[in-house]
């Protein structure tokens, strides 16, 4: 995990290959977001609801977080980071973010947003989890059948659309699913299933850039797009969260991995 962005880059439970994907060509420089692992997108997603917010996906993934606690038991290692009132020129309401992660036979991450100011504020957020898969072209995402989604791929109709059946990725995919339930990433080439269980999250963003877009991304190696899919725990667009002074909002997820029989 890096202090830069409180960015988790690896979780490898005993008996399995790494569950999180990291780009071989990621920048590791404080000016850039890390490509892979779990970027924290906050207080907006993409260019935000106004469509012009900068930097993309908010400033939290670029900020220097403070480690306030770490602990371990026989089964797990945990860490807690905070980010307080960073970039108030871009988000002019006092806040406190607390990010807790635990690495064990399961992985969990929880982002708590507290309004420490005297007026309400609204934010979007996403835990932008890059999952490693054997070959994206063989992967099935189970758990989104009948979910309503927005399609963010340029040139596609935004929607809303309704998902019919399980999700397979056959082209550039960038969708915001309104969904609360678990999502299973079934990966026959990798011989495993990764289960994403979310709390406090109304949206699941599913993203893979596919071949052409990946070729334009300098921090992605050739063909690396075939080994990843993002399943993001999120509250974005119409599900942006409004917090009254003194209130908190908690969003998080767990990952479990099991062998495919
Ligand atoms: C996804 C977005 O969450 O992140 C995509 O839905 C975006 O639109 C992708 O391309 C990667 O974003 P970035 O800023 O890390 O390149």
């Amino acid at each position: 995990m890096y202090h830069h962005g409180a960015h988790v880059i690896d979780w490898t439970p005993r008996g399995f290959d790494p569950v999180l994907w990291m780009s071989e060509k990621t920048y590791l420089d404080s000016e850039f977001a890390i490509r892979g692992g779990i970027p924290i997108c906050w207080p907006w997603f993409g260019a935000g609801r106004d469509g012009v917010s900068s930097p993309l996906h908010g400033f939290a993934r670029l900020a220097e977080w403070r480690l306030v606690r770490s602990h371990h038991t026989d089964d797990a290692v945990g860490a807690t980071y905070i980010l307080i009132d960073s970039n108030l020129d871009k988000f002019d309401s006092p806040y406190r973010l607390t990010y807790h992660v635990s690495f064990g036979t399961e992985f969990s991450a929880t982002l708590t947003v507290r309004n420490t100011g005297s007026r309400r504020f609204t934010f979007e957020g996403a835990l932008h989890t890059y999952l490693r898969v054997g070959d994206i072209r063989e992967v099935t995402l189970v758990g989104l059948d009948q979910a309503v989604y927005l399609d963010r791929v340029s040139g596609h109709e935004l929607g809303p659309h309704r998902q019919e059946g399980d999700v397979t990725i056959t082209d550039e995919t960038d969708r915001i699913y309104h969904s609360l339930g678990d999502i299973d990433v079934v990966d026959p080439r990798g011989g495993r299933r990764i289960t994403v269980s979310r709390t406090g999250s109304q949206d699941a963003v599913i993203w893979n850039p596919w071949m052409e877009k990946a070729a334009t991304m300098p921090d992605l190696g050739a063909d690396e797009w075939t080994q990843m899919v993002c399943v993001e725990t999120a509250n974005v667009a119409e599900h942006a969260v409004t917090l009254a002074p003194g209130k908190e909002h908690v969003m998080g997820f767990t990952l479990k991995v099991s062998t495919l029989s």
Side-chain angles (χ1 to χ4, degrees), residues 54-243:
S54 172
L56 285 172
H57 284 334
F59 49 75
R61 65 177 176 166
L62 299 169
E64 198 69 12
W65 292 57
R66 186 152 66 86
L67 177 66
V68 290
R69 181 166 180 259
S70 63
H71 69 277
H72 65 91
T73 63
D74 287 347
D75 303 324
V77 177
T80 305
Y81 280 84
I82 57 172
L83 186 70
I84 299 174
D85 295 349
S86 168
N87 288 262
L88 283 182
D89 54 327
K90 297 193 168 76
F91 186 75
D92 70 349
S93 299
Y95 65 85
R96 176 192 176 99
L97 302 186
T98 307
Y99 187 51
H100 181 72
V101 288
S102 173
F103 305 80
T105 52
E106 294 182 4
F107 171 84
S108 69
T110 310
L111 179 69
T112 302
V113 181
R114 183 174 181 83
N115 183 343
T116 54
S118 53
R119 52 196 173 90
R120 359 177 4 104
F121 64 64
T122 299
F123 63 92
E124 297 177 290
L127 301 173
H128 189 308
T129 309
Y130 287 81
L131 299 174
R132 174 180 292 276
V133 295
D135 189 330
I136 187 63
R137 293 161 291 200
E138 298 173 12
V139 163
T140 306
L141 304 178
V142 179
L144 293 168
D145 187 18
Q146 299 305 313
V148 169
Y149 68 91
L150 300 178
D151 190 333
R152 285 166 42 89
V153 173
S154 136
H156 288 198
E157 194 191 319
L158 184 64
H161 305 271
R162 186 174 290 279
Q163 177 67 35
E164 301 291 344
D166 294 332
V167 178
T168 51
I169 312 278
T170 57
D171 205 344
E172 181 183 352
T173 300
D174 187 356
R175 298 180 184 169
I176 301 170
Y177 282 92
H178 176 42
S179 132
L180 304 173
D182 289 1
I183 298 171
D184 281 336
V185 178
V186 180
D187 173 16
R189 182 71 69 98
R192 67 187 186 179
R193 171 195 315 265
I194 304 167
T195 301
V196 184
S197 308
R198 293 168 294 127
T199 53
S201 152
Q202 300 220 52
D203 300 304
V205 181
I206 307 295
W207 181 62
N208 179 286
W210 211 254
M211 191 182 307
E212 290 77 19
K213 181 160 184 191
T216 69
M217 297 170 61
D219 56 352
L220 211 64
D223 294 339
E224 281 196 295
W225 62 273
T226 60
Q227 288 165 0
M228 54 139 298
V229 62
C230 290
V231 177
E232 307 173 32
T233 295
N235 288 306
V236 302
E238 64 183 277
H239 299 128
V241 176
T242 298
L243 264 190

